[in-house]
Amino acid sequence: MATAPEDRPLPDQIEGAPHPSETATLYGQSRAEADFLEAFASGRLHSGWLITGPQGVGKATLAWRMSAFLLSQPLVAADDMFGAPPPPTSLDVDDDHPDMRLIRSGAHPRLFTLRRAWDDKGDKLKSLITVDEVRKLKNFFMMSAADGGRRVVIVDPADEMNVNAANAILKLLEEPPADATILIVSHQPSRLLPTIRSRCRELRCGLLGAADVTAALAAADIQTDAGEALTALSGGSVGEAIRLTNLDGLALYSELISLFNGLPRFDRPRGLKLADSCVGKAGATRFALMLDLIDKFLARTARAGLQGPPATQAAQGEALLLAKLSPHDVAARRWAALAQDVSDRTRHGKAVNLDPAALILDTLFKIEQVAQDVT
């Protein structure tokens, strides 16, 4: 059955979080905002901007803030009685501003959002942004030209464009329409066409600290007293911290750390019970989360062998465990190799629909084997 348009989740929105267009405050990315404002104030506004950084650190929120700012600014700043007005020092736009009201309603005539579309049946999102969506830009520019003022396109994320869509965007960057700004959000810019990257000015968004993650969670109406642990496990990504909170990821990671505290041998019945909790349709979400958390554990273990145990634990007892399992660089290399092997096997297991419990148990046994070899 097709999903009604009003009930369809947006592909550029994290479940459990407000849409980036509704996020009032951007945390931890003041440098990127300042760079954009400096370019705007100095008259060096590029037609293409590439907003990069890890997933979930505020890139889309920055793009929407830039959009609201640009759409609310006149093409030519009018001098006041004392001369030219001072340059803007913030991207903030008042909620009551006409352009902001149009943006929040999803009806701004000079803003186009390029993202994955729903299929013809309306029952699922397409896996990629197709050239059909890019072709809609032609009508957008024709219609918005009559309205006057600046025009903005947000591509979120560009990593999901297929080859034809990427080439169509490249052509647009090579011959940008007048008064148009194209904001391209990318989690992995190295995978984009080099010519797309060369046509844009880059704004890089970095990982967030615990204070910013906690503040951003609170702004999304998510209260937590585990901000430091969430920051450690999410790698400083608010989006990932929200996902972990929604899925009770900290509790599951604590279960894994408790199980691994028995290494170089883990409790077999306990491991089997953990694996069985991922079976069936009801366990599908837990299965995906379990694989992600094991991947995070292996990465943190490998890093501990090079940099020492983490300063902030993602679970009680984690620091002592990682110090035991990865005391030196040789151990770090073994854990890093295992992480790659597990990633490859997981990808293959998903492709052939391997039993989730069997895949989890196999991974646990491999972790046990490396633990026996390095301790």
Side-chain angles (χ1 to χ4, degrees):
M1 179 182 294
T3 306
E6 63 272 15
D7 296 329
R8 294 173 183 173
L10 294 172
D12 54 351
Q13 181 175 3
I14 297 172
E15 185 177 355
H19 187 268
S21 65
E22 301 172 344
T23 304
T25 305
L26 176 63
Y27 294 92
Q29 309 302 347
S30 57
R31 176 61 183 274
E33 288 201 355
D35 287 348
F36 175 76
L37 282 169
E38 191 276 332
F40 178 86
S42 62
R44 293 184 287 106
L45 182 66
H46 288 61
S47 57
W49 292 82
L50 181 60
I51 306 171
T52 66
Q55 194 162 359
V57 297
K59 299 187 302 298
T61 297
L62 176 58
W64 282 92
R65 283 174 60 78
M66 292 165 64
S67 297
F69 173 83
L70 288 171
L71 293 169
S72 66
Q73 294 291 315
L75 280 173
V76 179
D79 292 351
D80 61 21
M81 62 182 296
F82 300 106
T89 58
S90 171
L91 294 180
D92 291 343
V93 178
D94 192 280
D95 284 341
D96 291 330
H97 192 286
D99 286 297
M100 181 60 83
R101 290 202 300 268
L102 286 168
I103 289 172
R104 293 280 168 81
S105 69
H108 202 296
R110 291 182 282 113
L111 174 63
F112 186 96
T113 306
L114 181 63
R115 53 195 172 196
R116 284 185 294 139
W118 285 75
D119 63 13
D120 294 337
K121 295 181 180 179
D123 56 2
K124 65 178 180 179
L125 281 165
K126 293 181 179 179
S127 59
L128 295 171
I129 298 173
T130 66
V131 72
D132 292 334
E133 298 307 307
V134 184
R135 287 178 180 141
K136 295 177 183 178
L137 282 169
K138 182 177 181 180
N139 287 335
F140 164 73
F141 283 120
M142 289 176 61
M143 295 177 65
S144 60
D147 188 55
R150 301 180 187 277
R151 295 171 290 175
V152 179
V153 175
I154 298 175
V155 184
D156 185 17
D159 314 79
E160 294 178 349
M161 293 189 297
N162 66 17
V163 174
N164 290 335
N167 284 323
I169 285 294
L170 174 59
K171 185 174 181 180
L172 186 63
L173 289 167
E174 291 174 338
E175 301 174 15
D179 306 321
T181 304
I182 304 166
L183 308 177
I184 299 177
V185 176
S186 176
H187 314 311
Q188 297 177 297
S190 62
R191 299 179 62 180
L192 299 179
L193 293 173
T195 40
I196 286 182
R197 300 200 304 269
S198 67
R199 294 283 177 176
C200 298
R201 175 168 172 179
E202 183 175 5
L203 289 176
R204 178 155 184 82
C205 295
L207 295 170
L208 277 63
D212 283 330
V213 169
T214 302
L217 290 175
D221 293 327
I222 299 174
Q223 303 298 326
T224 179
D225 57 1
E228 290 193 353
L230 279 170
T231 301
L233 197 57
S234 69
S237 163
V238 176
E240 179 64 3
I242 291 174
R243 186 179 79 97
L244 290 171
T245 301
N246 291 340
L247 299 178
D248 208 11
L250 284 180
L252 181 53
Y253 190 71
S254 293
E255 286 186 57
L256 286 171
I257 294 300
S258 180
L259 176 68
F260 294 149
N261 269 322
L263 292 172
R265 293 192 181 277
F266 68 85
D267 185 324
R268 293 293 196 277
R270 193 175 178 185
L272 181 60
K273 183 178 179 181
L274 203 59
D276 284 342
S277 70
C278 299
V279 173
K281 188 174 182 179
T285 300
R286 185 175 173 89
F287 175 53
L289 179 62
M290 182 86 73
L291 293 177
D292 285 347
L293 293 177
I294 288 175
D295 182 67
K296 292 178 187 293
F297 168 77
L298 293 175
R300 288 172 68 79
T301 306
R303 196 177 303 118
L306 299 175
Q307 302 175 357
T312 302
Q313 298 188 114
Q316 185 175 2
E318 183 194 34
L320 286 176
L321 173 62
L322 299 191
K324 178 180 76 172
L325 295 179
S326 194
H328 42 63
D329 60 342
V330 175
R333 287 193 290 273
R334 286 295 307 274
W335 289 113
L338 177 61
Q340 183 60 56
D341 179 54
V342 167
S343 177
D344 293 342
R345 293 175 68 86
T346 296
R347 189 162 50 250
H348 174 72
K350 288 180 177 179
V352 299
N353 292 319
L354 188 66
D355 175 60
L359 184 57
I360 294 295
L361 276 177
D362 179 67
T363 301
L364 295 180
F365 286 133
K366 288 185 176 299
I367 291 173
E368 182 183 63
Q369 183 60 60
V370 172
Q372 292 172 4
D373 292 343
V374 301
T375 57

